[in-house]
């Protein structure tokens, strides 16, 4: 099978971008299937980090066809700016990039409404990335959205946009006491953007199905993580898309029967940005150490990420939801200087032990993690490129994860650079 899905098994920021980019040596196409500019996928380009938000992480690799599928929500202004930014870094964005005409747009009113809604939520705010993701997906479901293909006929788009801004302004002004948006000024901003994106618009599902039938290697790049999935995550502290493997079919038009292996990306510890329950969160020196060593700051919003230990209960849940058989463990090197490392192997709730991941955020908030302590290795893994170069306690940590989560590990990332990977088995 020539298609592989890369999904995060935690709350995002597992290193999906780096891994997707690294796997490009064997891939022909890289496809985003959900999410939007809320993603922040950091890839090393000539040794310097570059962050992709909407562009697939294969864009900097020559010879890869990159596609944004119809399940993604695209802020056209943000995408045009991202293309300009990466072009300045020497990345070519031309025939190697296609945008599906059916992907819905995130428009300025989505961001304005989200900001007003988050403010109104007060203490119960979700802590979103303020990229307009929730309102854009809500409009798509409410049949009030505008697919990006509409930009190709700008006059017709203008009519729809003006009419929609009129209604959204009612919402902003009457419900939230905000200033109305100026549709004309926004259209002035959108016109050149529409022109600059027009050449990338395409009907992509058949391109993808044909590629898989022809045995070309297709990589589906997930954004966010399983625990942020709108259905299977820690609702309502989730994003508004299907981040799990099931989202590939609905987000690209590739049927489940053509989807191959699902690879989970698992950080050697856990982080979370934004609000919501996080059983293995730590707030002492350990958290500060992880945060510093792992540069755990949001690539999209710059917020400090909450940090904690690896949670096997959550990992097993993600493995089950996605049908994962193999994972790639990332950022192992961040744990290099810990004397002992904790792993959560079960939860305790109302005095009884369970290995079931709760289906509600309220229940998850009430669990206490049950830990096992594993000896650290207290030496650098950053230069390791083969299994034999990993310190034995680091290998023991990885083996313990495999055993506890009943999964295989295909490789381990030990640093930000593309080559900082120890490969056990190949993906394609
Ligand atoms: P990548 O692809 C981590 C989180 C936000 C917030 C919640 C909802 O880099 O892993 P949204 O703006 O999506 O409506 O916010 O989801 N979130 C992420 N956290 N990594 C991401 O993307 C995220 N994208 C959204 O912090 O808690
Ligand atoms: Mg990220």
């Amino acid at each position: 099978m020539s298609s592989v899905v890369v999904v995060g098994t935690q709350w995002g920021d597992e290193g999906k971008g780096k891994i997707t980019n690294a796997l490009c040596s064997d891939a022909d196409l890289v496809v985003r299937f959900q999410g939007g500019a809320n993603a922040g996928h950091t890839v090393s380009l000539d040794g310097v980090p570059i962050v992709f938000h909407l562009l697939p992480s294969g864009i900097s690799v020559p010879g890869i066809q990159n596609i944004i599928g119809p399940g993604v929500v695209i802020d056209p202004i943000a995408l045009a700016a991202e293309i300009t930014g990466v072009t300045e870094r020497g990345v070519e964005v031309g025939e190697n990039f296609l945008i599906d005409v059916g992907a819905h747009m995130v428009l300025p009113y989505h961001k304005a409404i989200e900001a007003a809604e988050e403010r109104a939520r007060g203490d119960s705010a979700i802590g979103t990335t303020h990229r307009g993701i929730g309102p854009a997906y809500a409009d798509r479901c409410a049949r009030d959205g505008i697919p990006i293909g509409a930009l190709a006929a700008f006059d017709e788009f203008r009519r729809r946009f003006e009419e929609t801004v009129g209604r959204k302004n009612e919402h902003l002004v009457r419900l939230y006491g905000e200033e109305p948006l100026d549709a004309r000024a926004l259209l002035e901003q959108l016109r050149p953007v529409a022109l600059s994106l027009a050449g990338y618009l395409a009907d992509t599902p058949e391109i993808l199905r044909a590629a898989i039938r022809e045995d070309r290697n297709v990589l589906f790049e997930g954004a966010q993580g399983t625990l942020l999935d709108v259905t299977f995550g820690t609702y309502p502290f989730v994003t508004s898309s299907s981040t799990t493997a099931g989202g590939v079919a609905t987000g690209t038009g590739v049927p489940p029967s053509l989807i191959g292996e699902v690879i989970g990306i698992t950080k050697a510890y856990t982080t979370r940005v934004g609000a919501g329950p996080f059983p293995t969160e730590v707030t002492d020196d350990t958290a500060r150490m992880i945060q510093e060593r792992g540069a755990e700051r949001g690539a999209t919003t710059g917020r400090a990420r909450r940090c904690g230990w690896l949670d096997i209960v959550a990992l097993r849940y993600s493995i089950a939801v996605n049908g994962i058989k193999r994972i790639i463990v990332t950022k192992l090197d961040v744990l290099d200087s810990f004397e002992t490392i904790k792993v959560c192997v079960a939860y305790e709730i109302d005095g009884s032990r369970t290995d079931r991941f709760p289906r509600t955020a309220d229940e998850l908030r009430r669990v206490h993690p049950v830990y096992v302590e594993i000896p650290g290795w207290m030496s650098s893994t950053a230069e390791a490129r083969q299994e034999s170069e990993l310190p034995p306690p680091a290998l023991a940590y990885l083996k313990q994860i495999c055993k506890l989560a009943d999964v295989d590990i295909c490789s381990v990332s030990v640093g930000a650079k593309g080559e900082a990977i120890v490969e056990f088995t190949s993906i394609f």
Side-chain angles (χ1 to χ4, degrees), residues 13 39-41 299 305:
D13 302 321
H41 293 181
R305 294 178 185 143

Side-chain angles (χ1 to χ4, degrees), residues 43-388:
V43 163
S44 171
L45 181 68
D46 305 324
V48 182
I50 184 166
V51 183
F52 300 122
H53 298 287
L54 278 158
L55 289 167
S57 297
I59 198 77
S60 59
V61 182
I64 301 279
Q65 180 67 65
N66 294 273
I67 293 181
I68 295 185
V72 174
V73 286
I74 302 173
D75 176 341
I77 299 170
L79 177 58
E82 187 174 337
I83 293 172
T84 306
V86 305
T87 306
E88 281 164 7
R89 289 277 312 264
V91 174
E92 190 207 316
V93 184
E95 282 176 8
N96 59 341
F97 178 51
L98 296 174
I99 305 168
D100 190 76
V101 287
H104 275 237
M105 280 189 282
V106 175
L107 290 161
Y109 47 79
H110 292 126
K111 290 163 111 174
I113 287 171
E114 176 173 35
E117 281 174 346
E118 277 284 88
R119 260 197 302 277
R121 283 185 193 114
D123 285 347
S124 357
I126 294 161
T128 71
T129 60
H130 286 256
R131 295 300 184 272
I133 305 298
Y137 276 116
D139 271 0
R140 188 179 81 163
C141 282
R143 292 151 299 177
D144 201 19
I146 309 182
I148 197 161
L151 289 181
F154 201 80
D155 285 340
E156 172 59 17
F157 166 73
R158 175 214 295 275
R159 194 195 57 71
R160 250 171 105 177
F161 183 78
E162 281 174 342
E163 184 266 322
T164 311
V165 170
R167 280 186 292 110
K168 299 292 179 183
N169 275 343
E170 291 276 300
H171 198 104
L172 275 171
V173 175
R174 293 199 188 193
L175 207 57
Y176 295 117
E178 299 288 330
E179 289 294 309
L181 297 174
D182 179 347
R184 269 213 191 143
L186 293 173
L187 280 163
E188 286 311 304
Q189 203 182 351
L190 283 161
R191 183 187 290 280
V193 163
L195 262 178
S196 75
L197 297 181
Y200 303 116
L201 296 177
D203 180 356
T204 66
E206 182 48 29
I207 295 175
L208 279 173
R209 290 187 293 262
I212 296 174
R213 281 196 305 266
E214 288 158 16
D215 256 350
R216 297 175 70 209
N217 291 335
V218 180
L219 204 55
F220 295 101
E221 177 186 11
Q224 291 80 51
T226 300
L227 306 178
L228 288 172
D229 184 279
V230 68
T231 312
F232 299 103
T234 50
Y235 193 90
F237 302 100
V238 293
T239 191
S240 297
S241 64
S242 298
T243 61
T244 43
V248 173
T250 53
T252 64
V254 169
S257 55
L258 289 182
I259 297 169
E261 186 176 356
V262 183
I263 303 276
I265 311 298
T266 305
K267 193 142 63 175
Y269 49 92
T270 311
T271 60
R272 173 162 206 174
V273 211
F278 177 1
T280 61
E281 179 171 21
V282 283
T283 48
D284 56 9
D285 280 350
T286 305
R288 272 190 292 282
M289 252 167 93
I290 294 179
Q291 210 175 74
E292 251 164 57
R293 285 193 54 99
E296 293 297 352
R297 198 158 274 286
T300 298
T301 57
R303 290 176 291 178
R305 294 178 185 143
R306 300 157 64 192
C307 298
W309 299 112
L310 183 63
D311 182 340
I312 297 288
V313 182
L315 178 58
R316 274 198 301 251
Y317 173 75
S318 294
I319 286 170
V321 169
N322 290 293
I324 292 168
K325 293 198 178 64
R326 296 192 291 168
I327 60 172
I328 294 177
V329 175
T330 57
K331 292 190 134 178
L332 183 72
D333 56 305
V334 173
L335 300 181
D336 281 352
S337 51
F338 286 91
E339 252 168 66
T340 52
I341 293 164
K342 288 188 186 177
V343 180
C344 166
V345 293
Y347 294 154
E348 231 176 61
I349 184 160
D350 304 331
S352 25
R353 189 176 159 130
T354 178
D355 53 14
R356 188 184 65 85
F357 188 76
R359 289 295 307 284
T360 69
D362 282 341
E363 198 184 348
L364 188 62
R365 221 182 276 288
R366 292 194 292 119
V367 308
H368 298 283
V370 178
Y371 287 114
V372 293
E373 290 203 17
I374 293 177
W377 41 96
M378 303 289 284
S379 59
S380 174
T381 55
E383 302 306 321
R385 297 294 176 267
Q386 311 181 25
E387 197 173 328
S388 60

